[in-house]
Amino acid sequence: MRLPSYAYFEGKITPIDEAKISVMTHALHFGTGAFAGIRAYWNEDEDQLYLFRPLDHFERFLNSAKLLCMEIDHTAESLLGITKNLLRTECWRENVYIRPLVYAANTLLGGPRLYGLRAEVTIFSMPLANYVPDEEGTHVTVSSWTRIDDNTIPARGKVTGGYVNSALAKNDALRAGFDEALLLNRHGHISEGAGENFFMVRDGLVVTPPTTDSILEGITRRTVIELIRRELGLEVVERSVDRSEVYLAEEAFLTGTAVQVAAITRVDHRTIGTGKMGPVVSRLRELFFLAAQGRIETYRSWVIPVYEHALDGYENPA
Ligand code: PMP
C-alpha cells in the first residue's frame, strides 16, 4: 500500500514529513479538534476518481467546528477545492480515504476551554482497505460502555475527544473476539456502532435510530435511507431501537464512510436472520457501490470528479 506523500498543512500543500505539530498543541492534550472521513472511488472505465458527497461531509465538518466555537476561514467549497488539489498532487488511481482535521493549534496550553483558540485545518489522504469483514458479515456485541450524550460530548459533532468513547467500546469488542461494538445511549436505546450508523429490518420495515438518540448524522446513513426508499421501495422508520429488538431482527447492517454498507450476521452470539447476508443488505450494497462510482445517472450529483480530463471535449453550452 502506498503511503501518503502530501498533506494540506498551515495553508498549503506540503510534503507529509513537513506536516508536524508541537507536543504542546492544545488539541493533543484536550481533544479539542474535529474531523471528517471522506472516500474517493476510482472508476477504471472513466479513468476518474470520484469524491463521494464531499460537500455534505465538509458541511458537517464545519458544523462540528462550530460546536467547538472554532472560527475557520473556509467554506465547504473552498475545502473541496483544496482536497481536489491534494488528490491531484498525489495522483491516486485507486480508492482512497480523505481525512480533514481541524484542531486547536495553540501551544500555550492555558487549560481546557474553547474561546480564543486558533483553529488550523489539515487534510491528508490514503488508500483504505476493508474496515470490517464485509463479505461474510460482522459479529457485533452490545458494549458495556454508554454512548456519549448530547450533554457530555455531542455525538452529532465528529469531535476528536469523543472518539475515546468509540475506542473504549471497540477495544473491548475486538479483545473479546467480536468485529465491532454497538453502543447504547443513556436511555438504553441502540445509538450506533463505534464508527458507523445502525439499521435493522423487522417485519419488512427498515428501522434506524433517530438523530436525537446520540448518533453521528451519517452521510452514508442519509444516502442509504434515500436508496432504500427510492430503489427498494421499502419504508424507513427513524425511531428508538431496543437492544432485544436487534437480537430478533431479520437483517441488520452498519453504514459509514469506512465500513460502507456491512451486514451484521451475529449479535452477541445470536444469529441474525439466516446468519448470512440478507436480501435488503445485498441489494443495498450493490446500489451503493454503483452510485459511489458515479455509475447511476440519478445519483450523479453525489459524486464529484477529481481529475479535469473528465471535462475533455466538454463544450460549455453558453
Ligand atoms: N457514527 C460514527 C460514530 C462515526 O464515526 C461514523 C463515521 N464517520 C459514522 C457514524 C458514519 O458516518 P458517515 O456515514 O458520514 O461516514
Side-chain angles (χ1 to χ4, degrees):
M1 190 176 88
R2 205 184 105 197
L3 294 172
S5 306
Y6 299 94
Y8 174 78
F9 181 68
E10 297 188 342
K12 53 184 196 299
I13 291 174
T14 57
I16 196 128
D17 289 342
E18 291 171 22
K20 302 254 165 72
I21 57 161
S22 162
V23 291
M24 292 197 293
T25 304
H26 196 279
L28 190 58
H29 295 257
F30 302 122
T32 41
F35 63 103
I38 308 171
R39 265 192 195 257
Y41 289 88
W42 178 245
N43 181 320
E44 187 75 48
D45 302 335
E46 292 181 36
D47 207 25
Q48 183 58 272
L49 188 62
Y50 282 113
L51 280 157
F52 187 67
R53 305 190 76 160
L55 290 171
D56 295 295
H57 279 282
F58 283 126
E59 292 294 351
R60 189 180 66 196
F61 179 69
L62 293 172
N63 279 338
S64 297
K66 189 172 180 181
L67 287 174
L68 296 179
C69 306
M70 286 177 165
E71 294 191 4
I72 319 183
D73 238 5
H74 286 287
T75 60
E77 286 76 16
S78 70
L79 290 165
L80 171 60
I82 293 166
T83 302
K84 281 187 185 173
N85 283 340
L86 176 72
L87 297 178
R88 286 176 193 158
T89 311
E90 293 275 18
C91 289
W92 295 117
R93 292 172 64 86
E94 60 192 298
N95 294 345
V96 290
Y97 182 79
I98 299 112
R99 167 51 55 82
L101 170 73
V102 56
Y103 59 98
N106 302 52
T107 48
L108 292 171
L109 292 175
R113 65 173 200 287
L114 295 171
Y115 67 88
L117 296 177
R118 182 170 58 85
E120 277 287 347
V121 172
T122 182
I123 309 177
F124 63 89
S125 58
M126 59 189 183
L128 185 70
N130 276 352
Y131 189 71
V132 290
D134 60 355
E135 291 300 331
E136 61 271 35
T138 56
H139 187 185
V140 307
T141 182
V142 176
S143 183
S144 60
W145 296 96
T146 303
R147 185 75 182 129
I148 42 173
D149 185 61
D150 207 47
N151 277 324
T152 57
I153 304 174
R156 123 178 40 254
K158 218 167 153 50
V159 175
T160 57
Y163 275 79
V164 173
N165 179 239
S166 293
L168 288 166
K170 178 112 187 182
N171 180 68
D172 284 3
L174 291 178
R175 294 190 106 174
F178 298 95
D179 301 312
E180 185 52 290
L182 277 183
L183 288 100
L184 304 177
N185 67 13
R186 78 185 158 101
H187 303 291
H189 295 136
I190 301 284
S191 60
E192 57 183 344
E196 315 83 15
N197 290 115
F198 172 82
F199 287 78
M200 66 174 183
V201 183
R202 274 206 89 195
D203 302 324
L205 271 189
V206 184
V207 182
T208 193
T211 55
T212 45
D213 266 355
S214 293
I215 69 165
L216 183 77
E217 297 172 353
I219 311 297
T220 322
R221 175 182 182 276
R222 206 181 301 166
T223 302
V224 155
I225 289 176
E226 194 169 337
L227 288 175
I228 295 169
R229 287 183 178 147
R230 289 182 63 170
E231 306 294 331
L232 304 189
L234 292 172
E235 219 179 302
V236 184
V237 184
E238 297 181 52
R239 65 151 175 86
S240 293
V241 173
D242 278 346
R243 171 186 192 151
S244 60
E245 286 188 287
V246 180
Y247 296 146
L248 303 179
E250 289 136 37
E251 290 185 53
F253 55 100
L254 297 167
T255 67
T257 298
V259 81
Q260 304 170 108
V261 180
I264 297 173
T265 45
R266 277 185 300 161
V267 181
D268 290 329
H269 303 280
R270 292 155 175 90
T271 301
I272 300 301
T274 61
K276 296 240 158 28
M277 190 189 300
V280 173
V281 190
S282 24
R283 181 78 189 108
L284 203 51
R285 277 167 57 88
E286 273 170 34
L287 286 165
F288 178 80
F289 289 125
L290 289 173
Q293 293 176 6
R295 294 180 194 272
I296 305 182
E297 202 47 47
T298 326
Y299 304 111
R300 281 289 279 201
S301 63
W302 285 344
V303 299
I304 294 187
V306 168
Y307 296 118
E308 281 183 341
H309 62 71
L311 300 178
D312 287 354
Y314 172 82
E315 280 177 39
N316 191 328

